[in-house]
Amino acid sequence: MTASIELVDFDDVVARFDPVLGIEVHVELSTATKMFCGCPTGFGAEPNTQVCPVCLGLPGALPVVNRAAVESAIRIGLALNCSIAPWGRFARKNYFYPDMPKNFQTSQYDEPIAVDGFLDLTLDDGEVVRIGIERAHMEEDTGKSLHVGGADGRIHGADHSLLDYNRAGVPLIEIVTKMIPDTGARAPEVARAYVTALRDLISSLGVSDVRMDQGSMRADVNLSLSPAGSGTLGTRTETKNVNSLRSVERAVRHEMGRQAAVLDAGGEIVQETRHFDEATGHTRAGRRKETSEDYRYFPEPDLVPIAPSAEWIEELRGTLPELPWERRRRIQDEWGISDEEIRDLVNAGALDLVEATVAAGAPSQEARSWWVSYLAQQANTRSVELGELAITPGQVARVVELVGAGELTNKLARQVVDGVLDGEGDPDAVVAARGLKVVSDEGELIAAVDAALAAQPDVAEKIRGGKVQAAGAIVGAVMKATKGQADAKRVRELVVERVGA
């Protein structure tokens, strides 16, 4: 029934139901080695080349906790306003799946490292929503299955499966929200804003590259619907491993429409995991959702408890950087820009680049203009992210400096930037190689103006007669003759002077 069911219109859903969200985010830490062994954690290595007896779960192999991972977990907890547990243990989460070589996952169950925090979100209209954090706990990642022969890369219909255990044992932090009720029509927006804010926070801490496209940050979205105003909780589903910010929002919106359709048809929501299809924007059923009892948790006998001292916790608190929202507020005040302008910079992925360009000497307005207009267009044309363009903030600042000094026009400056992007060297080298410097020799400009006036005597007469706007034709001719390397404003001034208008 659910495969072909027609979704309920979103506005109808929020008129009749109250959505309740819960989001679990897994973050792979960027430690040099795995959680319980010395294997490297680099992404993209040849399959099964970063493994050892410990992460493969071979008999007799004993794990050792990665101190750097514990430090990262504590710093994440502190940044999320959590209480850090003075004592806790790891546990074995038992379940069978081929990408789990030990047939259990070493995790934290009833004694997580960080509990009871919060993260404040500012939505696009300025509304602040506080998201409660239930817990942040340490665990190890699983391996990766590759299903071969099926139409969509999943196990159904596949001929065979391949297993890569390189990722098995990579340190993970799982961050679990408390229930997020009362979001109504803004539920999809709140979900996306939360994952976005969390990604920015984790990135600022320097503990993960938070590359959702590579799986180093993944979101599981829990959603349930209850009749509007009833205060009762509906049965939830969990959409697993959503791997982009846009998909988080789409998954919530789709699941709201799907669950409402099931309920309207007299059906019952099944507590299950679901998978999000990027191509269709739909979710589809996975497996029935287990409860904690199904995992038969018990304390890990081969690891000592984690007992961070108060002194160590405070030492790590002192390493916390300026948090993203604090930084944005400071930058906004320093540059004198609006809430909308700072949001546009963040959404374009340009804030770090603009700030670095300003630090290299460019005025903030010019730096913003370059990155969010011309360079953003170039990134789109070249099908790369803005930060992947082959130009540095320092080089952009140098172009701005050359324009400010009158050595380049804006048009010439774009040609210089194109040259840098095409690998022709730094801005000064491109200017020299392409001969792009502004023609500033007054005698040369006067000669070019006189030649253009002589070639168009009728236009010269119009200018003398008071039709100064006709000077545009002469300016255009001079710009063509100088290959765009004259200052158009100065050329116009000379035109008026030479005809005596």
Side-chain angles (χ1 to χ4, degrees):
M1 178 178 68
T2 59
S4 59
I5 201 165
E6 184 175 348
L7 302 183
V8 174
D9 178 76
F10 184 78
D11 291 338
D12 187 18
V13 176
V14 297
R16 296 188 293 115
F17 295 95
D18 293 329
V20 177
L21 286 169
I23 302 176
E24 303 167 17
V25 174
H26 290 83
V27 177
E28 277 189 358
L29 300 178
S30 54
T31 53
T33 57
K34 293 185 180 181
M35 188 73 213
F36 302 112
C37 67
C39 290
T41 58
F43 179 82
E46 286 294 314
N48 298 309
T49 58
Q50 298 181 165
V51 294
C52 73
V54 174
C55 54
L56 290 177
L58 299 185
L62 295 176
V64 177
V65 174
N66 185 329
R67 178 186 173 93
V70 177
E71 289 183 347
S72 295
I74 293 173
R75 294 178 73 232
I76 290 172
L78 292 172
L80 289 170
N81 304 291
C82 291
S83 299
I84 305 302
W87 192 91
R89 292 177 297 180
F90 283 99
R92 292 187 179 184
K93 179 180 181 180
N94 295 274
Y95 64 98
F96 173 77
Y97 202 74
D99 63 13
M100 285 287 298
K102 297 185 295 188
N103 287 338
F104 64 84
Q105 181 185 31
T106 305
S107 179
Q108 290 186 307
Y109 172 45
D110 55 347
E111 297 172 293
I113 188 74
V115 296
D116 195 24
F118 64 88
L119 181 60
D120 286 336
L121 314 177
T122 301
L123 303 182
D124 282 348
D125 63 354
E127 180 184 350
V128 177
V129 177
R130 174 161 290 189
I131 305 297
I133 303 297
E134 181 71 32
R135 58 190 283 148
H137 66 260
M138 297 179 287
E139 58 187 25
E140 60 182 336
D141 211 342
T142 61
K144 188 174 183 179
S145 300
L146 176 65
H147 305 297
V148 181
D152 58 2
R154 298 193 179 276
I155 194 169
H156 300 291
D159 297 326
H160 62 280
S161 297
L162 302 174
L163 296 170
D164 179 8
Y165 291 122
N166 281 348
R167 197 176 67 181
V170 169
L172 273 185
I173 302 297
E174 181 175 355
I175 302 164
V176 183
T177 69
K178 298 179 180 180
M179 285 192 302
I180 310 173
D182 306 323
T183 53
R186 306 198 78 168
E189 178 188 1
V190 168
R192 177 172 182 159
Y194 168 71
V195 179
T196 301
L198 189 60
R199 184 193 63 176
D200 291 346
L201 174 63
I202 301 299
S203 179
S204 75
L205 294 173
V207 298
S208 172
D209 63 11
V210 290
R211 288 283 301 268
M212 297 188 77
D213 59 316
Q214 292 183 358
S216 54
M217 181 172 175
R218 316 186 287 273
D220 298 342
V221 180
N222 292 270
L223 182 94
S224 66
L225 295 180
S226 56
S230 67
T232 60
L233 289 177
T235 301
R236 67 182 174 90
T237 61
E238 180 180 13
T239 304
K240 299 284 288 183
N241 295 329
V242 185
N243 63 2
S244 77
L245 300 176
R246 177 171 176 263
S247 294
V248 168
E249 184 171 1
R250 294 171 71 204
V252 171
R253 181 177 287 269
H254 175 268
E255 195 60 12
M256 287 172 65
R258 186 195 69 84
Q259 288 191 21
V262 172
L263 294 172
D264 284 353
E268 294 184 355
I269 303 301
V270 176
Q271 183 169 317
E272 63 185 357
T273 62
R274 298 185 67 84
H275 301 288
F276 181 73
D277 188 318
E278 294 279 352
T280 64
H282 294 180
T283 67
R284 56 184 178 79
R287 56 180 169 79
R288 292 295 181 101
K289 180 64 178 171
E290 293 91 345
T291 64
S292 58
E293 289 79 7
D294 295 319
Y295 291 120
R296 295 178 293 111
Y297 283 99
F298 64 85
E300 169 56 70
D302 293 332
L303 290 171
V304 298
I306 301 296
S309 67
E311 293 76 18
W312 189 26
I313 293 171
E314 290 309 306
E315 178 185 335
L316 292 173
R317 191 189 302 275
T319 69
L320 296 183
E322 182 182 33
L323 299 180
W325 38 93
E326 296 170 348
R327 173 176 169 240
R328 288 195 287 268
R329 193 177 307 116
R330 171 182 58 78
I331 290 174
Q332 188 175 351
D333 291 341
E334 290 177 356
W335 296 352
I337 59 178
S338 67
D339 292 344
E340 183 179 2
E341 287 172 314
I342 195 76
R343 280 199 303 271
D344 287 346
L345 287 174
V346 172
N347 292 338
L351 183 58
D352 291 347
L353 297 164
V354 173
E355 187 180 26
T357 305
V358 172
S364 66
Q365 183 173 351
E366 283 85 345
R368 297 199 311 274
S369 177
W370 273 105
W371 283 108
V372 301
S373 56
Y374 190 71
L375 286 168
Q377 293 169 11
Q378 290 300 304
N380 184 58
T381 299
R382 297 163 188 256
S383 300
V384 297
E385 296 295 324
L386 191 60
E388 295 173 351
L389 286 173
I391 189 167
T392 67
Q395 290 170 332
V396 175
R398 177 56 179 158
V399 172
V400 171
E401 181 183 7
L402 292 171
V403 173
E407 297 182 35
L408 290 176
T409 63
N410 286 327
K411 183 177 180 180
L412 292 175
R414 287 192 287 273
Q415 294 181 50
V416 173
V417 168
D418 290 343
V420 175
L421 293 174
D422 291 337
E424 297 174 21
D426 63 25
D428 292 288
V430 174
V431 168
R434 292 193 178 192
L436 295 176
K437 210 164 190 178
V438 165
V439 175
S440 57
D441 183 278
E442 197 82 349
E444 186 177 346
L445 285 179
I446 290 173
V449 168
D450 289 346
L453 288 169
Q456 302 185 63
D458 54 331
V459 176
E461 284 302 318
K462 289 180 181 178
I463 299 170
R464 288 191 186 95
K467 295 183 178 180
V468 180
Q469 64 270 25
I474 304 300
V475 173
V478 172
M479 296 302 293
K480 182 177 181 180
T482 59
K483 299 180 180 179
Q485 291 175 240
D487 183 336
K489 181 180 178 182
R490 181 55 184 153
V491 170
R492 180 176 291 273
E493 292 172 352
L494 287 173
V495 170
V496 175
E497 289 174 12
R498 300 302 282 176
V499 299

